[in-house]
Amino acid sequence: MSKAVQLSYNQAGYLRHGPKFAALARETSGQLPWTLSEAATGVVQIQGITLPAYRDPLTGALLHCADFSSFKTAGVYIIQIDEIPSEPFRIGDNLYGTLTRDALHFFYLMRSGIALTEQYAGKAWARPAGHLSDKDIRAFAGTDAQGTKWDGCSFSIDGSGGWYDAGDYGKYVVNGGISVWTLQNAFERMPDSFSDGDLAIPEQQNGIPDILDETRWELEFLLRMQIPSGQPLGGMAFHKLHDRVWSGVPAELPTYMDNNNEMKDGASWGRYVYEPTTAATLNLAACAAQAGRIWKTFDKAFAERCITAAEQAWEAARTNPIILAGNVPGAGGGNYDDVNVEDDFYWAACELYASTGKPEYEAFIRNSPYFKTFQGLNGHGAAYSMNWADTAALGSITLVTVKTALSEKDINEIKDLIVKTADRYAVIQRNDAYATPIDASGFVWGSNSMVLNNAIILALAHDITGDRSYLSAVSRAMDYLLGYNSLRKSFVSGYGIDTLEHPHHRFWANDPVKGLPPPPPGVICGGPNAQIQDPVAEALGLIHRPIPMRYVDEIGSFATNEVAINWNAPLVWVASFLHRAFQR
Ligand code: 9MR
């Protein structure tokens, strides 16, 4: 059981060479004394006075903040502000190595179509294979919730494997895209941070870094979602695969809900792939192209298969540029209704260019409105750069990561935009008493991924400039997620004292009576959401709380407390970045 925590601090601990802040919210104007003592002996190591009290603009809390960044001795400590102590926490170098691996292992535990054995999943999280009948699945035919009619198709496909998206059993190509990209990008940037044998997964002894084994599991699914050439709309990818009706929360294991059209009333039940879309096709093109260059040295045949599929997808999307996602017929999945696909075209072209060097892709990039702009830049709207729907930044990041024939000047211009965007996030973070690198516009469904994705931009600014202040900014973004926030909650399971325990997840429902396990360590939830978008948030009256406090650790709150592949992927990226950056 988690404990109530009274101070805001990183409950998982602090990097020896990183910034270290803890805070007390209290309506007193004067500065307060603080001490840092060794947990075992109670001996005070250093002490000081809190920084001048600062009123947090978003929560209204008056914060008294202890800065003990100068203390760099590894150990286990307690920080006390006035008479309020923390729980013991660590200061050390290896805080994020374990988190990187746990956050990555999440993906194995989300695999569909394979039994999770005790050997790799651990006793608590082992389970039978889910949705084996995705191997032979038909396209939905009928009318969607918006009244659009879909014809279905005459053939069935193999839609097996892949990762479940989140707490539900859907598998969505659009969201698979940014998730695979983020993990592949982490590998591409920091190849020596990942190796074979990192993870407890069946492929751990095959000579290939486990992170790539894991992304391949999803890639193979994405490739299966592509309509074979020769069929109508050949080369396009189906948008998604999911149940027609939501399966129950929490008690239904994935095996209970197969493609059982016959099981209930055939008309409204069952599991289907849904119409192909331009967005899904471009997500496939982008990730498969990225995989094509990464896999070259590991498995040439697979790399070539990826490039071929990516180019076919690109061609198909060019031929069918406006097939947009519909609305879920029935209520068994999310829409991921990505209706602007121009950014996805740009992203896919960047990946194809970086992998093939073909002039046609370069020409496309140069003509795109996204070339030499960067989402999130001051004056360009909301303060975030990327999410499942907005993917142009992914393409630009690839252009500055992978050597291409683009000129130094072109690349520097893009780098400059990334740094300027990071500067905007750094200012937002400095103005926020809880060091959150998002402003009110970022507190949407999945806000924690907005924090992480903005942290990626800050990390890239460090890579580009070498300026260590960006490193601190990334570290403080992680502090926010691990407990330095107004809820004094760690949003990551297993990392802290008061951590995520009741995610919206069908299997990790934390219900011992039903035999359902708690979340495994290293899973991040969606986080505070300004909008009230689920019945639990509504019933609890979260709307009456300040925006960053509109969160509840309850299984029913899918709009604040679900888990998702596109949220854990940037957790892997940022944790691995911090682990590496702060090793001395
Ligand atoms: O992350 C998605 C969020 O941006 C949307 O606002 C929300 C509603 O459409 O859907 C979220 O994605 C969910 C998806 O639709 C179904 N699987 C669970 C996802 C995370 O909650």
Side-chain angles (χ1 to χ4, degrees), residues 165-166 168 172 246 334-336 388 445 558 562-564 566-567:
D165 186 56
D168 63 326
Y172 309 81
W246 291 115
N335 279 331
Y336 285 116
W388 58 263
W445 190 320
F558 50 81
E562 192 159 357
V563 308
N566 61 319
W567 305 339

Side-chain angles (χ1 to χ4, degrees), residues 150 227 233 236-239 274-278 280-281 323-325:
W150 300 95
I227 297 178
L233 296 178
M236 297 287 285
F238 287 105
H239 195 64
Y274 295 83
E275 73 281 4
T277 63
T278 310
T281 305
I323 305 189
L324 303 178

